[in-house]
Amino acid sequence: MNNTMLLIMVYYVISTILRTFVTPSIIDFATSIRLGKLDLLLTKPVDTQFMTSCQKLNLIRSLRGFFMFGALVYFVQQYYPISFPVALLAFLFGAFGILGMYALYYILATASFWFENIWNLEEIFFSMLEAGKQPFDIYQGSLRMVALYIIPVAGIGAIPTLIILHQISPLTLFLFASTTLGLFMTSRIFLYYALRRYASASS
């Protein structure tokens, strides 16, 4: 029971960070593409992906996230006392999970250059995000490979949780980190490919 509670709390903290700092800006990015407002943003001397990823945030959700993070720290101290290096590792792989989901969402938003009416973009993202609060064991065989190393939704809550429980291998950590970094690079490549085509169409 405690293990399930730990997973849910880890998932809630990470999903709140995504809903606070990631989804508002990326939805705005997709809207700017659809309404033709991206040209103004492109004139600014700032990295386009950074700029379109940091335009908005949801302060109300951030307050909830701080509260849940404090509850998570207290819960871990009470039931799963861990060393500082283990806590740091769990924090790091929570960040990798956030990076992976951010990259997936950004790739979906960038597809708005070709598919203008992606109205359910947020619904698609949150449906994927829900997979992050499922126990790791429900993913078996090829499904686990896809959910961890191709579309890494299974690791959002499970990877940091398993680190705290000392139940994960170094190889899994390495592959998960590599996947999320690869997705981030893919999101950048896809964005600048789309921008080149966008510039050509505008000229």
Side-chain angles (χ1 to χ4, degrees), residues 151-177:
I151 305 175
V153 292
I156 301 168
I159 295 293
T161 300
L162 292 173
I163 291 172
I164 293 171
L165 297 174
H166 303 283
Q167 294 178 3
I168 195 163
S169 69
L171 178 60
T172 300
L173 296 179
F174 172 77
L175 292 175
F176 182 74

Side-chain angles (χ1 to χ4, degrees), residues 124-140:
I124 294 170
F125 177 73
F126 289 145
S127 296
M128 292 192 301
L129 188 59
E130 283 294 303
K133 67 179 179 183
Q134 303 301 322
F136 193 65
D137 292 341
I138 72 168
Y139 300 99
Q140 300 294 330

Side-chain angles (χ1 to χ4, degrees), residues 5-202:
M5 181 63 69
L6 176 64
L7 172 62
I8 292 172
M9 293 177 76
V10 170
Y11 164 81
Y12 188 87
V13 169
I14 291 174
S15 66
T16 300
I17 292 172
L18 287 165
R19 292 168 189 261
T20 300
F21 298 101
V22 173
T23 57
S25 290
I26 295 184
I27 290 172
D28 192 66
F29 168 51
T31 302
S32 297
I33 296 171
R34 188 172 66 247
L35 299 180
K37 296 180 178 180
L38 191 64
D39 289 0
L40 179 61
L41 296 176
L42 295 177
T43 61
K44 298 181 179 180
V46 183
D47 180 82
T48 301
Q49 185 167 6
F50 175 80
M51 179 178 56
T52 54
S53 300
C54 303
Q55 297 181 84
K56 291 185 177 181
L57 56 86
N58 187 325
L59 288 176
I60 300 300
R61 286 194 181 277
S62 69
L63 294 176
R64 295 176 185 174
F66 282 123
F67 174 78
M68 182 54 71
F69 180 74
L72 173 62
V73 171
Y74 176 79
F75 185 81
V76 170
Q77 287 177 337
Q78 291 296 310
Y79 297 101
Y80 305 98
I82 55 176
S83 64
F84 178 75
V86 173
L88 189 61
L89 188 65
F91 182 85
L92 174 64
F93 276 85
F96 276 126
I98 292 169
L99 180 67
M101 290 306 298
Y102 158 79
L104 282 172
Y105 200 21
Y106 202 89
I107 289 168
L108 286 172
T110 304
S112 297
F113 281 103
W114 291 272
F115 307 101
E116 295 183 0
N117 294 320
I118 306 181
W119 297 107
N120 59 343
L121 179 64
E122 189 172 5
E123 182 180 341
I124 294 170
F125 177 73
F126 289 145
S127 296
M128 292 192 301
L129 188 59
E130 283 294 303
K133 67 179 179 183
Q134 303 301 322
F136 193 65
D137 292 341
I138 72 168
Y139 300 99
Q140 300 294 330
S142 58
L143 180 59
R144 176 176 292 193
M145 294 294 293
V146 171
L148 266 182
Y149 308 129
I150 299 177
I151 305 175
V153 292
I156 301 168
I159 295 293
T161 300
L162 292 173
I163 291 172
I164 293 171
L165 297 174
H166 303 283
Q167 294 178 3
I168 195 163
S169 69
L171 178 60
T172 300
L173 296 179
F174 172 77
L175 292 175
F176 182 74
S178 299
T179 297
T180 57
L181 291 171
L183 273 172
F184 175 70
M185 293 307 301
T186 300
S187 72
R188 289 189 64 79
I189 292 169
F190 188 45
L191 170 66
Y192 286 103
Y193 170 74
L195 288 176
R196 285 195 298 271
R197 293 179 61 88
Y198 179 74
S200 297
S202 301

